[in-house]
Amino acid sequence: MAMARTTTLLLVAAALLAASCSAWEVNIRMPTSAADVDEAVVAPLIHALRPLLGSGKHAGVACDSWVLGVEAHNVRDWKTVPASCEGYVGHYMLGSHFRRDSKVVIDQALAYVDSLKLAGNGKEVWVFDIDETTLSNLPYYAKHGFGATPFNATSFNAYVLQGSAPALPETKRLYNKLRSIGVKPVFLTGRTEDQRAITVTNLRRQGISGWMNLLLKQPGFKGSAVTYKSGERQKLQDAGYVIVGNIGDQWSDILGAPEGARTFKLPDPMYYIG
């Protein structure tokens, strides 16, 4: 009963955040004195709910430790977020913590970009994953247990076809920086070829354009994500391109030679792709 109530409240919080200008741009100033009360911005419900999680331990599972294990690639081959951690993951994704963690990753990527000695011959590329790297599917996962319920390809693909996924603002910073210095972005995604048109539309709706290539999975491919993505990167390299960077939310986005000169992993505790 308590878990159902928490899930309902998280959905309400997600809706309230979506109704604002952007879930990523909530600027909260809480009152510090009685005189500030009239001018204070009301904190989104998600922040008010945060104390209900206590230490983050549910039914004996330390959810923060589980998420760390996922991000460190020590917890592997999992199918769903532990049911007892649905609330923890939801608060992480909808609150400021996810944005802060993403900013650390992108700040490091930008520092690396600033250190590059580019040949400027048009052959330097940066590989971007799409889902949970460039575009966020959080509006979908907020309605599906933040990964605590089994993945449903039918409902997820219906969401993709809406072309409404918001851009992740930190990744967009990196994308724009790379374009400004002449490094060509290449999208390499597990989305399938039949989703090309809506993916292009979604990216452009979010102000993302100017990529060199959009590589999607072809019909009938049966291998792992690592096999697929490393194979596509090999084709780029064989064509004379230099992969100066590679970023994704899954370890399978960045594992498998050739990985690229430098790889970056964004946080994603909602699902695992091996």
Side-chain angles (χ1 to χ4, degrees):
M1 188 71 173
M3 181 59 67
R5 181 173 179 271
T6 298
T7 301
T8 300
L9 290 172
L10 283 169
L11 288 173
V12 171
L16 289 174
L17 284 174
S20 66
C21 61
S22 170
W24 313 111
E25 298 174 357
V26 178
N27 184 19
I28 305 164
R29 184 177 69 81
M30 296 303 292
T32 57
S33 66
D36 292 334
V37 171
D38 290 338
E39 298 180 2
V41 177
V42 177
L45 182 58
I46 193 71
H47 292 278
L49 287 174
R50 194 177 290 274
L52 297 178
L53 294 177
S55 66
K57 294 183 178 180
H58 304 271
V61 177
C63 298
D64 54 351
S65 297
W66 181 83
V67 169
L68 176 62
V70 167
E71 296 303 338
H73 208 211
N74 293 319
V75 178
R76 304 184 186 184
D77 301 318
W78 49 279
K79 302 298 183 184
T80 60
V81 170
S84 57
C85 295
E86 176 184 342
Y88 180 90
V89 172
H91 283 285
Y92 171 81
M93 295 301 299
L94 289 172
S96 62
H97 200 161
F98 170 74
R99 178 70 183 269
R100 292 199 311 270
D101 287 352
S102 298
K103 184 178 185 300
V104 169
V105 175
I106 298 303
D107 284 348
Q108 291 299 309
L110 289 170
Y112 164 68
V113 170
D114 287 339
S115 75
L116 288 173
K117 302 294 188 293
L118 299 174
N121 57 7
K123 289 292 187 178
E124 288 143 332
V125 301
W126 190 294
V127 175
F128 287 80
D129 174 51
I130 290 184
D131 294 298
E132 272 57 68
T133 298
T134 306
L135 298 176
S136 172
N137 299 310
L138 188 54
Y140 172 85
Y141 282 100
K143 297 179 181 178
H144 294 82
F146 299 98
T149 59
F151 179 72
N152 184 302
T154 300
S155 62
F156 179 74
N157 288 336
Y159 166 78
V160 168
L161 291 176
Q162 296 173 15
S164 60
L168 284 160
E170 297 301 329
T171 303
K172 200 171 177 182
R173 280 202 299 141
L174 173 62
Y175 186 93
N176 290 337
K177 172 68 173 182
L178 290 167
R179 287 197 63 211
S180 74
I181 63 172
V183 175
K184 296 180 177 179
V186 173
F187 287 118
L188 175 53
T189 174
R191 292 188 179 196
T192 50
E193 185 61 42
D194 60 324
Q195 295 173 327
R196 177 178 293 277
I198 193 59
T199 299
V200 169
T201 297
N202 198 158
L203 289 167
R204 288 177 175 165
R205 283 173 176 169
Q206 294 301 315
I208 299 169
S209 60
W211 57 84
M212 185 186 88
N213 208 348
L214 169 58
L215 304 172
L216 299 103
K217 192 179 292 184
Q218 297 303 306
F221 182 85
K222 300 297 183 183
S224 69
V226 171
T227 299
Y228 159 61
K229 293 203 167 186
S230 62
E232 292 300 318
R233 291 194 298 269
Q234 185 65 58
K235 292 176 186 177
L236 286 169
Q237 189 167 283
D238 291 345
Y241 292 100
V242 177
I243 303 172
V244 297
N246 179 11
I247 188 167
D249 67 295
Q250 299 290 317
W251 280 93
S252 56
D253 295 330
I254 57 178
L255 291 177
E259 298 91 348
R262 180 78 186 268
T263 60
F264 296 88
K265 165 75 170 65
L266 286 164
D268 181 5
M270 297 189 297
Y271 58 83
Y272 176 89
I273 299 175

